[in-house]
Amino acid sequence: MRVRIDQQQCTSSGLCEVIAADVFVIRDDGLAHLTSEDDHGPDAAYQVLPDHEDVVREAADQCPGECIFIED
Amino acid sequence: MATAYGTVIAGASAAGVSAAKELRRAGYAAPVTLLTSDPDPPYRRPPLSKELLAAGGDEAGVRLRIDAELGLTVVHGATAAGLDLDGRAVTCADGTTYGFDQLVIATGASPVHPWRDAAPPGVHVLRTLADARALKAALAGATRVAVIGAGFIGAEVAAAARTLGRTVTLIDTLPAPHAPVLGPEIGAVCADLHRAHGTELRLGARVTGITGDAHVTGVRLAGGETVAADLVVVGVGVRPETGWLDGSGVALDDGVVCDATCAVRGTGGGPLDGVAAAGDVARWPHPGSAAPVRIEHWDNAVAQGRAAARTLLGDPRPYAPTPYFWSDQYTAKIQVVGLPGADDDVAIAEGDTAAHRFVAVYSSAGRVTAALSMNLPQRLGTYRRVVQAAGEMSEEKR
């Protein structure tokens, strides 16, 4: 599973970080980022670890901006 | 018997579209028909008073994403005008009737405009994309802007106009912006934010009329003074769109009365079969509030649309979200999580209000009710957990 964020639609609710803090973080620009971007850059989709797949799906389902996209 | 329109959704903004998507996500295969009076394809409302009005702002980012493969039908120019619960049909203003198996009421709310019939040209409200286009065009040619109402729409419009370099006066009857929602202490900080950016505030000021014939010339205040303006924006709140439900058998009380799962109640008190509501129009009991709540924020509309769809699909669960909204004013991002009360105790948990960079925690009777962040968005997740934990604790005690 891979995940990416469309930050233009992000409402800064922080829900994704609460649900899956290992994968998502709100940075001081107020937008959701992938924690992996330090290693892979902001534009890269992130290969989700198997242990995190459930919480990433949950975050995508609950995201009010509907801006978390999953590619299986 | 299945109808040609399947599930009819009255309203095609955040709540209606979210309900439609959730129906599909859950495998609902019958037709889904969204009725909307709006001529524009579904769009996101928050940017209309924020990014869209800013210099360089355009409509590219406002469209709501609806994948064609979902097979949703959106009918524009379809203004719901009546509901026949026995015949299970919605009738629109143009006389067209849409029979339904299930109904989602998501007609939202409309701006209150006390001067609508008497206003000269140059007086605007802001609710729809068409409103935003008209306001953006008017702002381009305006020099002095008066905004009536220092709620979130009014404050954001004032900030956008001021950022564009206009002379701006923000008028409210109350002593501080957002005071009914955020309380007097944080309201005072918000007032300071406006003043720091050169917006003039006229607080505790009652508007008695709008002046001008060929074009607006100003806003008259009680006491006789007139605030000169060549553009006036009225942002004094909204009213839920329930007129089409009068006499239908749907229970109404400043909104559509729902149970805890967003099922709509009839005037007899019990839930109506196969009718749910979501978004600005819905009032429902929330465990964090003594009285049923009606929430006019984007995130709630999205989440409540999903909840309403699940209820219709036979999976009703109490809808008890931790509410969230945000407001962008000047360079400040204000975020609120929870249900703040205007009379709650407010403690500054970190940061500095004078610097417009802080987190405030609201509490009532010793229980945390909400947190507000100004310009500390990276701290919101931490406080969201605090607010959520407080809500769970209170539920265990009940």
Side-chain angles (χ1 to χ4, degrees), chain B:
Chain B
M1 193 181 67
T3 64
Y5 301 108
T7 296
V8 167
I9 300 176
S13 189
V17 169
S18 169
K21 289 179 177 176
E22 185 70 12
L23 288 170
R24 288 290 185 249
R25 200 152 32 211
Y28 181 82
V32 175
T33 308
L34 296 106
L35 309 177
T36 175
S37 55
D38 204 307
D40 281 299
Y43 51 89
R44 300 186 300 127
R45 251 181 245 288
L48 304 187
S49 50
K50 303 179 177 77
E51 298 96 308
L52 189 68
L53 297 182
D58 61 33
E59 295 180 23
V62 307
R63 293 267 174 264
L64 258 180
R65 188 188 154 101
I66 302 179
D67 292 338
E69 65 196 33
L70 292 177
L72 308 177
T73 302
V74 181
V75 186
H76 293 278
T79 305
L83 169 63
D84 176 357
L85 279 174
D86 294 331
R88 300 195 78 72
V90 172
T91 301
C92 288
D94 65 0
T96 312
T97 294
Y98 296 86
F100 60 81
D101 300 317
Q102 305 180 105
L103 174 67
V104 179
I105 298 173
T107 36
S110 297
V112 174
H113 187 351
W115 305 278
R116 188 183 296 277
D117 297 330
V123 179
H124 293 249
V125 294
L126 178 52
R127 175 75 184 179
T128 66
L129 181 53
D131 291 339
R133 276 187 205 116
L135 177 57
K136 187 174 176 67
L139 275 169
T143 54
R144 298 184 62 90
V145 179
V147 180
I148 304 172
F152 289 101
I153 293 292
E156 289 182 357
V157 169
R162 183 70 199 127
T163 303
L164 289 168
R166 308 297 175 260
T167 300
V168 180
T169 308
L170 180 57
I171 305 165
D172 203 296
T173 52
L174 296 167
H178 316 310
V181 180
L182 303 180
E185 187 176 346
I186 300 301
V189 177
C190 294
D192 184 62
L193 177 68
H194 288 288
R195 291 193 187 99
H197 287 87
T199 291
E200 188 188 351
L201 294 175
R202 300 302 305 266
L203 300 169
R206 193 167 59 82
V207 173
T208 58
I210 294 174
T211 60
D213 293 316
H215 195 83
V216 68
T217 56
V219 174
R220 201 168 49 238
L221 304 180
E225 183 201 353
T226 297
V227 175
D230 55 4
L231 170 59
V232 170
V233 182
V234 178
V236 295
V238 296
R239 197 174 284 134
E241 268 300 335
T242 58
W244 65 288
L245 299 168
D246 285 341
S248 67
V250 166
L252 301 174
D253 178 14
D254 184 31
V256 171
V257 178
C258 302
D259 71 10
T261 70
C262 306
V264 170
R265 291 190 182 281
T267 44
L272 298 168
D273 183 38
V275 184
D280 292 8
V281 80
R283 181 173 292 282
W284 87 105
H286 188 289
S289 167
V293 296
R294 193 172 63 72
I295 295 183
E296 298 168 357
H297 296 300
W298 183 258
D299 283 41
N300 179 66
V302 173
Q304 195 167 21
R306 293 171 185 154
R310 286 194 298 269
T311 291
L312 291 182
L313 291 165
D315 180 22
R317 285 174 259 171
Y319 174 63
T322 302
Y324 166 75
F325 69 90
W326 81 101
S327 179
D328 296 334
Q329 300 175 22
Y330 311 97
T331 53
K333 181 178 279 294
I334 301 166
Q335 297 169 283
V336 179
V337 62
L339 282 169
D343 300 325
D344 286 358
D345 298 319
V346 175
I348 305 305
E350 58 181 278
D352 178 5
T353 54
H356 303 145
R357 187 175 162 87
F358 64 96
V359 177
V361 173
Y362 289 70
S363 60
S364 174
R367 185 177 68 87
V368 171
T369 56
L372 176 146
S373 152
M374 186 181 283
N375 282 330
L376 281 173
Q378 67 275 31
R379 300 291 295 142
L380 193 74
T382 299
Y383 288 92
R384 175 184 282 277
R385 290 186 196 92
V386 171
V387 172
Q388 284 176 339
E392 282 160 16
M393 277 166 56
S394 77
E395 283 186 336
E396 278 172 12
K397 275 186 269 175
R398 283 187 303 133

